Amino acid sequence: MIVWINGTHGVGKTTTSALVRQLIPDSRVFDAEKVGETLMDITPGLPETDNFQHWPPWRQLVVETARSVLDYTGGVLVMPMTVLVEEYWREISVGLAQHAIPVRHFVLHADQDTLRRRIEGEHPVPSPFRLTYLDPYAEAARTWLHAEAEVIDTTYLTPAQAARQIAEAVKSRAL
């Protein structure tokens, strides 16, 4: 099984995922961003883009890597990864379904003011990259993302509380 933890940059996916891994037996974290970093290291580079998710090989390799790891280890993969383009989410989720891999899709959500405060409070300089994704996240949340996932509102939750909610939801459905 895959526990996909989606949401905009700065919402706490990485921190929450590490905590979810501790709460779900036989689970490991697979950050699909590492697949994008590998593709960015290809020389000469792939076609210019502002986001490696626009490269079709990223989406295909995420599916194949997850499948290969699960075939090798079994258990649960906890995957913290922002996917805000509906077409890309469909491609990934259909690819995983074709391999009979169940996916529990969660979105960590916080209101725009909270997200902006969190990003602007980052060490030592706020990430302009993360700030540019606030509006695309809001649009995805409004048009398709929240309908496709189990939404965990983290506005007033700690990462540990969000992780417990996700782990409890996964365990309650697995029984």
Side-chain angles (χ1 to χ4, degrees), residues 4-7 11 16 20 104-111 118 137 146 149-169:
W4 194 289
I5 301 179
N6 204 340
V11 76
T16 301
V20 168
R104 290 291 297 273
H105 185 197
F106 294 90
V107 170
L108 299 184
H109 173 80
D111 64 68
R118 288 178 185 172
Y137 167 73
H146 283 194
E150 299 170 64
V151 179
I152 308 287
D153 189 333
T154 68
T155 303
Y156 302 106
L157 296 180
T158 65
Q161 291 169 321
R164 275 194 299 280
Q165 282 190 22
I166 292 168
E168 288 170 8

Side-chain angles (χ1 to χ4, degrees), residues 110-170:
D111 64 68
Q112 292 283 305
D113 290 338
T114 299
L115 288 168
R116 188 171 304 284
R117 256 192 328 275
R118 288 178 185 172
I119 293 168
E120 289 173 350
E122 288 176 344
H123 55 287
V125 178
S127 167
F129 174 82
R130 290 178 178 212
L131 289 169
T132 64
Y133 280 89
L134 292 179
D135 288 339
Y137 167 73
E139 179 65 12
R142 185 185 66 75
T143 58
W144 71 273
L145 183 59
H146 283 194
E148 291 290 321
E150 299 170 64
V151 179
I152 308 287
D153 189 333
T154 68
T155 303
Y156 302 106
L157 296 180
T158 65
Q161 291 169 321
R164 275 194 299 280
Q165 282 190 22
I166 292 168
E168 288 170 8
V170 169

Side-chain angles (χ1 to χ4, degrees), residues 8-174:
T8 194
H9 303 279
V11 76
K13 295 178 305 297
T14 301
T15 302
T16 301
S17 294
L19 296 167
V20 168
R21 188 203 58 77
Q22 295 172 13
L23 297 170
I24 297 177
D26 197 24
S27 65
R28 24 185 76 65
V29 174
F30 165 39
D31 187 344
E33 188 167 326
K34 303 299 182 193
V35 173
E37 290 172 5
T38 298
L39 292 173
M40 291 184 332
D41 285 343
I42 292 174
T43 55
L46 297 177
E48 188 70 28
T49 183
D50 64 341
N51 185 331
F52 56 71
Q53 290 187 15
H54 298 320
W55 292 324
W58 178 80
R59 300 184 300 276
Q60 297 160 4
L61 287 169
V62 165
V63 170
E64 288 306 313
T65 304
R67 180 194 59 79
S68 294
V69 170
L70 286 171
D71 284 351
Y72 182 64
T73 64
V76 175
L77 281 183
V78 179
M79 296 182 62
M81 188 70 217
T82 300
V83 178
L84 300 179
V85 177
E86 184 177 11
E87 176 187 342
Y88 298 171
W89 175 251
R90 297 257 179 260
E91 188 176 334
I92 291 166
S93 59
V94 165
L96 294 167
Q98 287 173 338
H99 294 293
I101 300 170
V103 177
R104 290 291 297 273
H105 185 197
F106 294 90
V107 170
L108 299 184
H109 173 80
D111 64 68
Q112 292 283 305
D113 290 338
T114 299
L115 288 168
R116 188 171 304 284
R117 256 192 328 275
R118 288 178 185 172
I119 293 168
E120 289 173 350
E122 288 176 344
H123 55 287
V125 178
S127 167
F129 174 82
R130 290 178 178 212
L131 289 169
T132 64
Y133 280 89
L134 292 179
D135 288 339
Y137 167 73
E139 179 65 12
R142 185 185 66 75
T143 58
W144 71 273
L145 183 59
H146 283 194
E148 291 290 321
E150 299 170 64
V151 179
I152 308 287
D153 189 333
T154 68
T155 303
Y156 302 106
L157 296 180
T158 65
Q161 291 169 321
R164 275 194 299 280
Q165 282 190 22
I166 292 168
E168 288 170 8
V170 169
K171 289 176 184 177
S172 71
R173 238 210 207 146

